[in-house]
């Protein structure tokens, strides 16, 4: 029987299998997508904070180490002229980690080429460094480049990177940056080098005012760093640097230049000497206007030994040569002062009323001492004897025997008391480092014998420094007021605002004003008619005293000669002290104070002429 309507096809076994497979694939894919979704959710939501911390902490590491350098204070002369200052410079920093960050070396060749083209650095040295330190992010490659050097590289980098981009190249100059710091600079190179001192490349003060006032001059570095906030956002904090203070010195640049010029002319002249030094001081307040020696050096290149023989450098040693150049002879060297110290004996005898103005003395050229076991002969500078002398002539003619007689009138206790009152054997406390300790180089009442007393009376058999002698002399002529010698008069911040005014009070009284006035008259006579006649300056009432000291060992016959003097018998405002150590002559030919007196004359004359 035939049935009318649609016919129904029967599903084959193959079709059923295909459908089952499609269903399984769909289910598998659905599972994969669910798993991926869960992982994405885990990364973005659950672990998102963790990965944020990693990224931010990596950013923070590089951000933490940035130092903001402070500026060291200036050193100024008495008129505000710069003696030492700080200028901004730049350290060239290489980041090998960044430079090597791409496998195709897109930064390596371009960056090396830039450094070679701009600075002419060694290509292979750079390549080795970048390779060997590939995991380092900070390598200081060059120090103290100028702003011009920095800008030159940055301009080259910008132009070259633009060119790479326009050509479609992946090459770039990257991984080089500049770190700021300050470099110490001395505008006058050699001027007052042993006084000012210097700061080395590591930023450490080495000597002089730079070292003594380091706490005032040094600032405090600032810092720029980051930290993670509550929302894991990088927060930046900047602590500003605190700059150092300026120090205003008592140094008069004009007077300092005069001293250095005159000492240099002497040293380069026909005779010259082992060394020569000079100090100019205000006797009325202890301010030092100039302090110079012939062993100066270039403050901007203190270790330069150009011109010295290599064999000499090897024999003596670089460190010893540097020390001899850097040493401040006026403060660190000790010596027997000779006859300039006779002012102590003379002043003490007058002040103690041991001698009157009409007293007379007899000099036969020597005295003999006998303690029962030994005999000594002490000679005068005039071996034939001065004969009969009045009180003024004992000093103006520099008679040793007269000083011996006065010292024996005073006795050991009183004589040593005056020595100490005038500052011998004690620190002057000048504001410079490494002042020589003379405490063991001067007798006291407990260990001084008669011979010691007699030889000390004319400046022999004990040691002092130049700054001790000039401080004592200033006290002797200014009315008896002992001031502490100093080189800085005030401290300012970098805006010029006063922070501290330095005024040194009278430390002690040494002699009476009456004795001081009489001493000035005698020292004036010493220049007018006595041993100091080469110090005379036309139309000026110059007073002063010569000195000649035989150095130890006596048998070598080497001498140190000196002159110390002032500008006005009635109202002294300047004291100049000159020491010439061992003139380049044989034996007793060295023993002429004329060498030092002539230098004094040349310095004082030019200073006074320019003061008019």
């Amino acid at each position: 029987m035939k049935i009318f309507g649609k016919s129904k096809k029967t599903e084959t076994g193959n079709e059923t299998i295909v459908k089952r497979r499609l269903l399984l694939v769909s289910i598998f894919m659905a599972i994969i997508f669910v798993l991926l979704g869960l992982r994405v959710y885990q990364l973005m939501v659950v672990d998102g904070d963790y990965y944020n911390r990693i990224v931010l902490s990596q950013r923070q590491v590089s951000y933490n180490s940035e130092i903001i350098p402070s500026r060291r204070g200036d050193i100024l002369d008495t008129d505000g002229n710069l003696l030492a200052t700080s200028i901004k410079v730049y350290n060239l920093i290489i980041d090998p980690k960044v430079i090597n960050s791409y496998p195709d070396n897109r930064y390596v060749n371009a960056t090396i080429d830039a450094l070679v083209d701009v600075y002419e650095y060694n290509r292979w040295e750079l390549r080795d460094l970048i390779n060997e330190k590939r995991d380092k992010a900070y390598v200081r490659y060059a120090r103290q480049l100028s702003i011009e050097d920095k800008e030159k590289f940055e301009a080259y980098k910008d132009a070259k990177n633009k060119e790479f981009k326009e050509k479609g190249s992946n090459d770039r100059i990257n991984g080089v940056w500049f770190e700021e710091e300050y470099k110490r600079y001395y505008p006058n190179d050699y001027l007052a080098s042993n006084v000012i001192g210097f700061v080395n490349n590591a930023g450490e003060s080495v000597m002089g005012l730079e070292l003594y006032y380091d706490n005032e001059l040094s600032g405090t570095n600032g810092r720029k760093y980051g930290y993670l906030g509550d929302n894991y956002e990088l927060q930046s904090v900047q602590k500003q640097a605190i700059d150092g203070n300026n120090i205003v010195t008592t140094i008069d640049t004009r007077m300092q230049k005069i001293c250095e010029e005159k000492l240099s002319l002497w040293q380069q002249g026909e005779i010259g000497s082992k060394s020569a030094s000079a100090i100019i001081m205000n006797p009325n307040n202890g301010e030092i206007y100039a302090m110079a020696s012939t062993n100066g050096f270039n403050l901007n290149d203190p270790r330069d030994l150009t011109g010295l023989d290599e064999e000499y450098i090897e024999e003596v040693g670089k460190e010893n040569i540097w020390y001899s150049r850097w040493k401040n002879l006026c403060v660190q060297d000790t010596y027997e002062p000779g006859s300039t110290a006779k002012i102590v004996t003379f002043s003490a005898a007058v002040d103690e009323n041991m001698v009157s103005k009409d007293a007379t003395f007899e000099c036969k050229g020597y005295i003999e001492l006998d303690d029962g076991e030994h005999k000594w002969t002490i000679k005068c500078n005039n071996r034939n004897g001065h004969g009969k002398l009045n009180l003024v002539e004992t000093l103006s003619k520099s008679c040793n025997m007269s000083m011996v007689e006065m010292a024996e009138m005073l006795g050991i206790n009183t004589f040593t008391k005056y020595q100490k009152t005038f500052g011998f054997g004690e620190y002057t406390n000048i504001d410079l480092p490494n002042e020589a300790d003379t405490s063991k180089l001067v007798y006291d009442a407990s260990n001084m014998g008669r011979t010691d007393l007699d030889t000390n009376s004319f400046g022999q058999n004990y040691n002092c420094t130049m700054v001790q002698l000039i401080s004592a002399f200033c006290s002797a002529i200014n009315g008896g007021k002992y001031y502490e010698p100093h080189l800085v008069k005030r401290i300012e911040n970098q805006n010029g605002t006063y922070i501290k005014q330095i005024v040194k009070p009278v430390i002690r009284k040494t002699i009476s004003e009456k004795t001081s006035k009489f001493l000035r008259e005698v020292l004036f006579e010493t220049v007018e008619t006595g041993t100091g006649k080469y110090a005379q300056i036309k139309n000026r009432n110059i007073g002063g005293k010569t000195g000649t000291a035989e150095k130890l060992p006596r048998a070598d016959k080497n001498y140190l000669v000196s002159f110390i003097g002032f500008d006005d018998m009635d109202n002294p405002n300047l004291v100049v002290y000159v020491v010439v150590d061992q003139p380049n002559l044989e034996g007793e030919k060295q023993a002429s104070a004329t060498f030092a007196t002539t230098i004094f004359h040349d310095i004082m004359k030019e200073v006074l002429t320019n003061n008019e």
Side-chain angles (χ1 to χ4, degrees):
M1 185 174 111
K2 187 175 181 179
I3 299 174
F4 295 94
K6 295 180 179 179
S7 63
K8 186 177 180 182
K9 288 187 177 181
T10 303
E11 191 177 69
T12 68
N14 288 338
E15 289 176 337
T16 301
I17 292 171
V18 168
K19 286 181 178 181
R20 287 176 179 175
R21 286 178 177 176
L22 288 173
L23 179 61
L24 289 173
V25 169
S26 297
I27 292 170
F28 179 76
M29 292 298 293
I31 292 171
I32 292 295
F33 280 118
V34 169
L35 292 174
L36 286 172
L38 289 172
R39 183 57 180 160
V40 169
Y41 177 81
Q42 175 77 20
L43 291 171
M44 295 182 65
V45 179
V46 178
D47 294 336
D49 286 350
Y50 170 75
Y51 289 107
N52 278 336
R53 289 177 187 230
I54 292 176
V55 172
L56 290 171
S57 64
Q58 287 174 342
R59 290 171 60 195
Q60 188 182 11
V61 166
S62 62
Y63 202 44
N64 261 340
S65 61
E66 188 171 348
I67 292 174
I68 303 173
S70 62
R71 185 180 186 278
R72 188 174 179 85
D74 294 336
I75 299 178
L76 309 167
D77 77 354
T78 190
D79 296 318
N81 301 307
L82 281 174
L83 298 174
T85 190
S86 295
I87 56 177
K88 187 173 284 188
V89 291
Y90 301 87
N91 298 328
L92 188 149
I93 309 301
I94 293 177
D95 186 340
K97 196 169 186 178
V98 166
I99 296 173
N100 289 300
S101 58
Y102 279 89
D104 62 1
N105 290 333
R106 64 182 61 180
Y107 296 157
V108 175
N109 293 327
T111 303
I112 290 175
D113 286 345
L115 291 169
V116 172
D117 289 347
V118 175
Y119 298 123
E120 298 183 356
Y121 293 152
N122 185 289
R123 180 182 301 278
W124 305 111
E125 180 183 282
L126 286 167
R127 192 172 293 278
D128 289 344
L129 180 145
I130 291 169
N131 183 53
E132 291 170 5
K133 298 183 180 294
R134 59 189 313 109
D135 294 328
K136 301 291 184 182
Y138 178 98
V139 177
R140 183 186 291 160
Y141 190 74
R143 293 198 65 186
Q144 299 188 348
L145 300 178
S146 67
I147 181 66
E148 292 79 14
D149 291 331
K150 172 180 177 288
E151 290 176 345
K152 183 179 180 181
F153 182 85
E154 290 175 340
Y156 181 99
K157 173 186 173 182
D158 292 344
K160 204 70 177 176
N161 282 347
K162 182 180 179 182
E163 180 184 325
F164 288 140
K165 186 176 181 180
E166 290 173 349
K167 289 181 178 180
S169 170
N170 289 329
D171 288 350
R172 294 290 186 276
I173 298 167
N174 204 352
V176 175
W177 54 283
F178 294 88
E179 174 185 71
E180 291 184 357
E181 72 171 9
Y182 286 96
K183 176 184 178 181
R184 205 59 168 162
Y185 173 66
Y186 303 92
N188 300 297
D189 289 324
Y190 291 86
L191 188 77
S193 56
N194 305 101
V195 176
I196 296 170
F198 64 94
V199 175
N200 63 22
N201 289 336
E204 301 165 334
S205 53
V206 175
M207 53 169 287
L209 294 172
E210 291 277 26
L211 178 58
Y212 191 92
Y213 285 96
D214 187 58
N215 289 338
E216 291 289 349
L217 292 164
S218 294
T220 303
N221 289 337
R223 184 175 287 275
K224 188 176 182 181
Y225 60 96
Y227 66 94
L228 297 179
D230 294 338
N231 297 323
Y232 307 120
E233 293 182 358
L234 187 64
Q235 306 293 321
S236 65
V237 173
Q238 183 166 307
K239 182 180 178 182
Q240 294 295 335
I242 301 173
D243 293 336
N245 295 322
N246 300 332
I247 60 173
V248 181
T249 71
T250 61
I251 295 172
D252 184 305
T253 294
R254 182 180 57 83
M255 293 188 192
Q256 182 72 29
K257 286 181 177 179
I258 291 170
C259 283
E260 293 185 9
E261 177 190 348
K262 302 308 179 186
L263 291 174
S264 178
L265 287 173
W266 155 258
Q267 200 70 334
Q268 296 170 19
E270 293 182 6
I271 300 175
S273 56
K274 178 182 176 183
S275 67
S277 306
I279 303 177
I280 302 179
M281 186 168 169
N282 184 334
N284 302 309
N285 57 18
E287 291 186 354
I288 292 176
Y289 294 149
M291 181 180 281
S293 302
T294 53
N295 64 324
F297 58 95
N298 188 341
L299 287 165
N300 290 307
D301 195 2
R303 290 180 170 82
D304 178 36
L305 299 180
T306 302
L308 292 183
D309 184 76
E310 289 296 331
E311 290 184 6
Y312 172 78
I313 294 174
E314 186 175 348
E315 178 184 350
V316 177
K318 289 183 178 180
E319 289 78 11
N320 292 328
I321 296 173
W322 290 334
Y323 176 75
S324 67
R325 289 185 172 185
W326 300 346
K327 187 178 185 182
N328 188 327
L329 303 181
C330 301
V331 176
Q332 295 175 255
D333 256 11
T334 70
Y335 56 93
E336 292 184 356
S339 295
T340 51
K342 288 177 179 176
I343 60 160
V344 176
T345 308
F346 186 92
S347 298
V350 173
D351 213 48
E352 292 289 323
N353 295 314
M354 293 292 177
V355 291
S356 61
K357 291 185 179 180
D358 59 356
T360 58
F361 297 82
E362 188 71 33
C363 172
K364 61 180 182 179
Y366 66 94
I367 60 169
E368 293 179 340
L369 300 177
D370 186 348
D371 65 358
E373 294 183 13
H374 304 91
K375 291 183 179 181
W376 297 272
T377 299
I378 298 177
K379 297 178 180 180
C380 189
N381 61 310
N382 184 337
R383 299 294 190 261
N384 297 320
H386 289 102
K388 188 175 182 179
L389 300 170
N390 61 36
L391 184 59
V392 172
E393 289 173 330
T394 62
L395 202 60
S396 68
K397 294 188 177 183
S398 199
C399 176
N400 290 352
M401 300 302 98
S402 301
M403 296 302 119
V404 169
E405 191 172 343
M406 290 182 202
E408 293 191 352
M409 292 178 189
L410 291 165
I412 288 174
N413 287 329
T414 303
F415 180 83
T416 53
K417 181 190 76 172
Y418 272 90
Q419 269 192 326
K420 185 175 181 180
T421 300
F422 274 108
F424 295 102
E426 298 186 346
Y427 289 113
T428 64
N429 293 321
I430 188 172
D431 46 353
L432 285 173
N434 304 316
E435 181 180 5
D437 180 4
T438 60
S439 60
K440 301 293 192 298
L441 304 176
V442 175
Y443 292 95
D444 58 36
S446 66
N447 63 8
M448 178 179 275
R450 183 183 174 189
T451 305
D452 307 318
L453 172 66
D454 291 350
T455 52
N456 274 210
S457 72
F458 51 85
Q460 189 174 294
N461 202 24
Y462 72 94
N463 277 36
C464 71
T465 64
M466 282 187 71
V467 73
Q468 280 179 327
L469 195 288
I470 195 172
S471 298
F473 187 89
C474 285
S475 171
I477 66 164
N478 71 7
K481 300 180 287 291
Y482 188 95
Y483 290 99
E484 199 171 88
H486 58 285
L487 284 143
V488 171
K489 62 181 181 180
R490 68 175 179 271
I491 298 169
E492 303 174 345
N493 64 22
Q494 295 210 1
N495 294 322
T497 303
Y498 284 21
I499 293 176
K500 183 180 180 181
Q501 190 78 20
I502 300 176
V503 178
K504 297 292 185 180
V506 176
I507 301 298
R508 57 184 173 268
K509 191 77 171 173
T510 53
I511 55 176
S512 68
E513 290 188 14
K514 181 180 178 182
T515 300
S516 178
K517 182 177 183 298
F518 177 60
L519 178 64
R520 291 198 302 270
E521 294 170 357
V522 175
L523 293 172
F524 168 74
E525 194 62 35
T526 301
V527 172
E528 288 296 298
T529 63
T531 58
K533 60 184 179 180
Y534 288 98
Q536 294 174 9
I537 298 174
K538 188 177 181 180
N539 299 323
R540 296 287 183 174
N541 294 327
I542 302 296
K545 184 70 190 77
T546 54
T548 303
E550 188 176 22
K551 299 175 66 175
L552 292 173
R554 311 291 186 201
D556 288 351
K557 296 297 180 183
N558 288 319
Y559 293 83
L560 180 145
V561 295
S562 59
F563 186 88
I564 188 165
F566 55 93
D567 63 326
D568 190 334
M569 182 177 68
D570 298 318
N571 184 30
N573 291 302
L574 292 173
V575 171
V576 177
Y577 183 27
V578 176
V579 168
V580 175
D581 186 4
Q582 211 167 307
N584 296 326
L585 296 170
E586 292 296 324
E588 293 190 357
K589 291 180 180 179
Q590 297 177 16
S592 173
T594 302
F595 304 138
T597 309
T598 302
I599 298 172
F600 164 90
H601 169 273
D602 294 345
I603 292 173
M604 183 66 89
K605 181 179 180 181
E606 189 162 341
V607 167
L608 293 176
T609 299
N610 291 336
N611 278 351
E612 293 176 347

